Amino acid sequence: MKLTLTEFVSLDGVSQGPGSPDEDTSGGFTAGGWFVPHMDQDFIDHAALWLRQADALLLGRRTYDAFARDWPQITDPEDPFTALMNGLPKYVASNTLSEGSWNPTTILSGDIGAQLRELKSRQGREIQIHGSTTLAQSLFAAGLIDELRLVIAPVVVGSGRRLFPDSGTPAGLRLISSTTTPGGLALHTYQVTGSPGHATYTGVRDIPSH
C-alpha cells in the first residue's frame, strides 16, 4: 500500500489548528480556524475523492483523540466523509495509548517505522495520514511517505506549528496534479522522489522541458 499525507497549510507553512479556534491551542497558539473561511464545494468534492482511495487511516495521538470525539457525532447521511471516516480501519501511532475508542482501531507503538513498512507491504491502495503534523514530520524524515496532498489556504497565519520546520529533512518532490478552488485554495499533489536535486543556472537554453 501507498502511504499518503493530506495536510492543510497556510502560505507561511502553518498546519496547526486549521479547523477551529480551539482545535489545537498547544504552545499558546491562538490563531486556529484559519482554513475554514476558504472551504467550498470544489474542495469538499476533491477531499471526498481522496478519501475514497483509502483502505486505512494513520493518525497521531492528538488528531486521533479529536477525530474519535467528533466524527461519531456526525449523523448526516449526505455527508461525504462520515461513513468512511467511521468505518475505515484506524492505526494510531502512540506509546501512551493502550486502546482506542473509535473502532476499528489498532495501536502502533515501539518501532512504528518497522510496523508501517510491514503495513505498506500488504496489498491495497492507500494508508492515509490526515493532519497529525508531528507524526507526519517523523515519517517524512524516515522516508516512509510516498505522496503529499497539500491544501494551501490563501492566508499568512504568522505563528504556529509548521509542517516543514526550519530544521526539516530535505526531499525532492514531483508535482503530479494541481488545481485551485473558487475559495482560493490551491490543491497540490506531490510524489516524493528522494533527495533534492541541485544545479547552477547558466541560461534559459539549459532549462529542461517537462
Side-chain angles (χ1 to χ4, degrees):
M1 285 193 283
K2 180 168 62 175
L3 183 60
T4 67
L5 168 67
T6 298
E7 194 80 39
F8 305 157
V9 296
S10 66
L11 282 174
D12 55 339
V14 174
S15 57
Q16 184 172 0
S20 71
D22 58 354
E23 177 182 357
D24 181 0
T25 59
S26 61
F29 184 65
T30 60
W34 48 266
F35 183 82
V36 178
H38 309 285
M39 294 176 64
D40 54 30
Q41 190 59 49
D42 278 21
F43 162 72
I44 296 297
D45 292 344
H46 275 90
L49 179 63
W50 287 340
L51 185 60
R52 288 196 292 271
Q53 299 175 43
D55 284 336
L57 303 176
L58 172 63
L59 305 168
R61 170 67 185 271
R62 182 188 290 112
T63 301
Y64 176 81
D65 286 345
F67 282 10
R69 178 193 66 219
D70 296 338
W71 279 107
Q73 307 306 316
I74 301 175
T75 58
D76 181 1
E78 300 300 319
D79 185 276
F81 307 108
T82 303
L84 284 170
M85 292 296 290
N86 287 322
L88 282 168
K90 270 78 70 173
Y91 293 93
V92 187
S94 174
N95 288 315
T96 58
L97 192 66
S98 59
E99 61 181 0
S101 60
W102 188 27
N103 292 315
T105 290
T106 300
I107 309 300
L108 304 180
S109 60
D111 191 344
I112 293 172
Q115 294 172 74
L116 282 176
R117 289 183 180 90
E118 192 280 324
L119 286 173
K120 290 181 62 177
S121 71
R122 299 180 185 179
Q123 291 294 319
R125 297 176 300 169
E126 296 183 7
I127 306 170
Q128 293 187 357
I129 309 167
H130 289 262
S132 308
T133 299
T134 302
L135 172 64
Q137 289 171 342
S138 64
L139 298 181
F140 189 73
L144 288 170
I145 295 178
D146 301 297
E147 192 169 290
L148 306 177
R149 293 173 180 143
L150 304 183
V151 185
I152 305 168
V155 59
V156 174
V157 177
S159 65
R161 189 181 306 110
R162 285 169 166 77
L163 176 60
F164 301 113
D166 290 342
S167 58
T169 302
L173 305 173
R174 182 173 71 87
L175 183 65
I176 298 174
S177 66
S178 179
T179 189
T180 57
T181 74
L185 296 173
L187 285 61
H188 297 325
T189 300
Y190 295 95
Q191 180 185 48
V192 181
T193 59
S195 299
H198 300 275
T200 299
Y201 175 74
T202 58
V204 294
R205 293 185 179 181
D206 292 334
I207 298 176
S209 58
H210 295 282

